[in-house]
Amino acid sequence: MQFLLVTFVLHCATADYFKTKPDFVKTCSKSDPEFDDCSREAVQNIFNALGPGLPEIDMAPLDPLKIPKIRILQGDGPVNVNAALDDVTVTGFGRTEVLVSQIEGTYDLKGKILLIPLVGRGVCWFEPRNMTIDILSEVKLYSKDDITFFNVTSAHVKYNIGGLRLRMNNLFDGIESLEESTNAYLNANWRPVSESLRPILSKTIEDILLGFMQKLFNNLPGHFLIGDLKPLQSKKQDTTKKV
Ligand SMILES: *[C@@H]1O[C@H](CO)[C@@H](O)[C@H](O)[C@H]1NC(C)=O
Ligand SMILES: *[C@@H]1O[C@H](CO)[C@@H](O)[C@H](O)[C@H]1NC(C)=O
């Protein structure tokens, strides 16, 4: 059983949608035999543009991404965690080379990871290496002012990481020898640690990306993305973000 809540500052859609095609949007055509390559490049361009943010449509930067609070409650399995992360900053989201390079914030944790009881609160950081994320999103079409837009209704994320370094300061209320040995143990066992955090991390990334994609696509007429878009048919889209 797991439960997760990401509190997230996304302004409501007060800004107007793009009336002309912005430079960062590459238009692809379904009828083009190179459609897959084209759309891969289009997605990368969009991520690059989301990095610094799009003030025209009131979108905050994706890199660095600020999240006020992530609450994690996970009841069974090797990870048994009741934790909150506050003032989280994620850097590297959206770059070509590395998708997420660092996550830092303050934590408040009571639980068990790899059968080790953990308790503490303090500053923490996580550094995934060579992280790749595959995003499968479902979109529906809808029309606004007689223009067809995409409604992103869900996002499913699969990710792989080549390594993970992490640090939790002030574990066990600052009993230094325990703090050092536990951090060393978690780093040495980064793979099972990251596997046990997978459901939590996937859900967090899904919620973040879904919020960003919904906001972007609600403000971007569909034909800017797909030149030969046929109005109002449902479709599935598989977007692979390779880094
Ligand atoms: C987008 O899809 C969701 C879920 O299917 C729906 O509740 C919402 O009304 C849709 N939004 C628009 C603008 O069509
Ligand atoms: C990351 O990927 C690069 C290139 O594929 C590789 O050389 C490097 O060893 C990898 N690093 C880790 C930590 O897996």
Side-chain angles (χ1 to χ4, degrees):
M1 282 289 278
Q2 75 193 31
F3 174 76
L4 177 125
L5 183 92
V6 179
T7 320
F8 208 157
V9 193
L10 281 177
H11 301 278
C12 292
T14 47
D16 225 352
Y17 60 82
F18 284 106
K19 298 289 193 302
T20 53
K21 189 170 83 86
D23 288 344
F24 67 86
V25 174
K26 182 177 168 66
T27 308
C28 303
S29 294
K30 285 297 274 181
S31 56
D32 181 354
E34 313 286 307
F35 178 76
D36 286 352
D37 289 342
C38 180
S39 58
R40 202 165 297 128
E41 199 185 325
V43 168
Q44 185 62 61
N45 290 353
I46 285 174
F47 270 91
N48 293 348
L50 286 178
L54 295 168
E56 313 88 294
I57 55 166
D58 215 7
M59 284 189 76
L62 188 56
D63 184 12
L65 173 67
K66 307 268 187 190
I67 308 171
K69 190 186 229 14
I70 301 176
R71 274 204 65 87
I72 299 162
L73 289 172
Q74 180 161 313
D76 51 13
V79 186
N80 178 316
V81 173
N82 180 351
L85 283 173
D86 288 298
D87 301 321
V88 181
T89 302
V90 182
T91 47
F93 223 143
R95 268 185 241 157
T96 10
E97 290 298 306
V98 188
L99 195 64
V100 173
S101 53
Q102 191 174 53
I103 303 163
E104 58 184 20
T106 56
Y107 75 96
D108 186 342
L109 166 72
K110 192 174 179 348
K112 234 167 28 176
I113 297 181
L114 299 181
L115 306 176
I116 310 173
L118 294 176
V119 54
R121 61 173 67 189
V123 175
C124 65
W125 52 257
F126 301 85
E127 263 180 17
R129 300 291 180 81
N130 287 359
M131 188 169 192
T132 60
I133 301 187
D134 285 355
I135 310 155
L136 181 71
S137 54
E138 284 182 58
V139 298
K140 286 184 182 153
L141 299 176
Y142 70 99
S143 138
K144 180 165 69 184
D145 297 350
D146 288 329
I147 298 172
T148 303
F149 286 83
F150 292 107
N151 184 4
V152 185
T153 53
S154 68
H156 299 285
V157 152
K158 274 194 197 156
Y159 69 87
N160 279 302
I161 59 174
L164 175 69
R165 296 201 310 139
L166 62 104
R167 174 81 203 180
M168 286 187 271
N169 283 327
N170 204 41
L171 264 178
F172 309 107
D173 293 321
I175 302 174
E176 213 169 298
S177 55
L178 271 178
E179 178 181 323
E180 292 309 319
S181 58
T182 305
N183 273 296
Y185 183 79
L186 294 175
N187 278 278
N189 292 282
W190 68 268
R191 188 158 306 267
V193 169
S194 76
E195 281 312 312
S196 53
L197 293 172
R198 181 177 289 277
I200 293 166
L201 263 183
S202 302
K203 182 72 171 68
T204 307
I205 297 169
E206 279 168 14
D207 288 351
I208 291 170
L209 288 178
L210 186 60
F212 269 81
M213 290 194 296
Q214 280 173 337
K215 174 114 199 201
L216 176 67
F217 289 117
N218 280 336
N219 286 288
L220 201 58
H223 63 269
F224 291 165
L225 294 157
I226 300 191
D228 52 358
L229 182 67
K230 293 206 181 63
L232 298 174
Q233 292 171 335
S234 287
K235 65 187 280 290
K236 273 198 173 188
Q237 183 174 312
D238 186 1
T239 311
T240 300
K241 168 108 176 81
K242 176 83 182 86
V243 291

